[in-house]
Amino acid sequence: MKRKRIKINYGNLCLLLIIIFALTFISYYTYKIISNDETKTEEKTEKKEESKLSKLGFNKNEIKKIETNMKKEEIEKIDKYNKNLAEYSEVKYFHLENIERYDNLKEKNDYSTEEIIMRVNTRIDKPFYTDITTVENPDDPFVLVNKYYSLDKDYTPSDLINVGGNQRMKKEAGEALIKMIEDVKNNGMYLQAQSGYRDYDLQTRLYNGYVSSHGQEEADTFSARPGSSEHQTGLAIDVSKDGYLSKEFENTNEFKWLNENAHKYGFILRYPKDKIYITGYDYEPWHYRYV
């Protein structure tokens, strides 16, 4: 049997090869053009950001620090030159919106940059009980209540439990306190819940009584104004070993034990000796806050 010879049309084959080559060429250069456009767009964006800071007057060293420490969206908000911005940006908790207050405090004091940032962020660059904000999340276990952040007068925690001595706390904090008190006793000591949750009305009566007997200026050093007491959160507790709240408590074995172990149960000493300028309250070795 004779094999059938296949005829090849070389003209069509050449045409096909030309088409394949042309399509490959077009695809390759289209890819190159798109890639180059994307690269140029990215370069233009970076140059735009750099040029913005440059136009505002920042030098290369300042720009490098700012771009290293701040997010792009934050950099976009910078609208004028500030000689301290690069330095501020190196501090972890720097907030651009506070920059004018940072500057004001820096001009008036010889604080370190870290101290300036801390003081402004905690609002202690302002007098106590000014610029007060009403707390929006009172049930948050990390809620901040102090002389700048206050609770609504009608706020009451929904899950209060008894922790002994007719005192109450929020459930999570109360259970931790009960466990801590039990462990204190297991170590041959004694601790009791002295004052837990207080509502707005009770705090009002207590504060007004202190103002009447001591005057407002002194009362503000040891008693919270209504709405500004941590006790209203249900997360704070005063403890004692004998039913009395006294600075002498710091000389007891119970206080020493708390210093070494309270954090294991979620409690911190809220008003220590060396933080009076921040807290606005005298040293209270008996007052603990659950966090």
Side-chain angles (χ1 to χ4, degrees):
M1 181 182 290
K2 293 184 178 180
R3 292 183 181 178
K4 191 174 182 180
R5 185 176 290 181
I6 299 174
K7 292 183 179 181
I8 299 175
N9 189 323
Y10 289 100
N12 290 339
L13 180 59
C14 288
L15 179 61
L16 179 61
L17 291 174
I18 290 171
I19 293 172
I20 294 172
F21 176 78
L23 290 173
T24 303
F25 178 84
I26 292 170
S27 298
Y28 174 75
Y29 277 96
T30 300
Y31 168 77
K32 290 288 289 183
I33 291 169
I34 293 173
S35 298
N36 287 337
D37 286 344
E38 290 178 348
T39 301
K40 288 177 180 179
T41 300
E42 291 176 359
E43 290 175 351
K44 285 180 180 178
T45 301
E46 291 176 1
K47 288 179 180 178
K48 184 179 179 181
E49 290 174 355
E50 292 177 1
S51 64
K52 175 188 176 181
L53 294 177
S54 296
K55 288 178 180 179
L56 290 175
F58 293 95
N59 60 44
K60 290 183 178 180
N61 185 47
E62 291 172 327
I63 291 173
K64 183 177 180 180
K65 288 183 179 180
I66 292 169
E67 291 184 339
T68 299
N69 299 311
M70 296 179 66
K71 297 178 180 178
K72 288 185 178 181
E73 53 267 32
E74 293 176 320
I75 294 175
E76 284 299 319
K77 296 177 183 178
I78 301 172
D79 56 6
K80 61 182 178 180
Y81 175 75
N82 184 291
K83 65 181 181 180
N84 301 311
L85 178 56
E87 180 184 349
Y88 293 152
S89 72
E90 294 182 295
V91 179
K92 184 176 181 180
Y93 296 105
F94 160 72
H95 295 292
L96 184 62
E97 64 269 22
N98 290 337
I99 195 164
E100 290 186 6
R101 288 167 59 197
Y102 297 144
D103 287 341
N104 289 335
L105 192 60
K106 187 177 183 67
E107 290 175 6
K108 299 174 183 177
N109 300 275
D110 190 28
Y111 298 138
S112 67
T113 304
E114 290 77 9
E115 181 81 0
I116 289 169
I117 301 296
M118 181 278 293
R119 284 177 175 266
V120 170
N121 288 357
T122 56
R123 295 195 181 183
I124 61 173
D125 60 317
K126 300 181 178 183
F128 292 126
Y129 292 117
T130 61
D131 191 24
I132 298 175
T133 299
T134 300
V135 172
E136 295 181 354
N137 55 341
D139 289 316
D140 189 321
F142 298 107
V143 62
L144 176 63
V145 175
N146 59 17
K147 297 184 177 185
Y148 302 104
Y149 295 90
S150 65
L151 294 165
D152 186 272
K153 66 178 182 179
D154 296 321
Y155 173 71
T156 300
S158 60
D159 58 346
L160 294 170
I161 65 169
N162 193 297
V163 294
N166 294 320
Q167 300 302 320
R168 296 180 295 165
M169 294 186 75
K170 283 178 69 75
K171 186 175 186 295
E172 182 180 343
E175 290 175 347
L177 178 71
I178 291 171
K179 172 61 176 169
M180 185 168 73
I181 288 177
E182 288 177 354
D183 287 350
V184 169
K185 292 179 179 178
N186 290 336
N187 280 275
M189 295 169 286
Y190 179 78
L191 201 65
Q192 68 181 45
Q194 190 70 30
S195 182
Y197 167 72
R198 299 180 200 150
D199 63 21
Y200 186 93
D201 291 338
L202 175 55
Q203 190 65 33
T204 299
R205 293 195 297 274
L206 289 172
Y207 178 76
N208 289 343
Y210 291 134
V211 170
S212 296
S213 57
H214 297 272
Q216 186 175 58
E217 183 176 354
E218 184 178 350
D220 281 338
T221 66
F222 64 85
S223 179
R225 295 183 185 182
S228 297
S229 172
E230 283 193 333
H231 286 280
Q232 192 181 344
T233 68
L235 297 170
I237 187 71
D238 293 339
V239 296
S240 74
K241 64 170 296 179
D242 55 12
Y244 295 96
L245 300 180
S246 166
K247 286 186 173 64
E248 293 301 314
F249 180 64
E250 71 173 354
N251 299 318
T252 65
N253 290 329
E254 284 79 358
F255 179 73
K256 181 179 178 181
W257 188 93
L258 288 173
N259 269 343
E260 297 173 353
N261 298 283
H263 66 280
K264 299 175 184 176
Y265 303 84
F267 289 93
I268 60 169
L269 179 65
R270 185 64 176 89
Y271 305 127
K273 284 181 179 179
D274 60 344
K275 295 295 186 291
I276 294 175
Y277 73 101
I278 296 177
T279 65
Y281 292 105
D282 285 343
Y283 171 50
E284 294 188 356
W286 59 81
H287 183 103
Y288 287 80
R289 160 67 197 264
Y290 182 77
V291 292

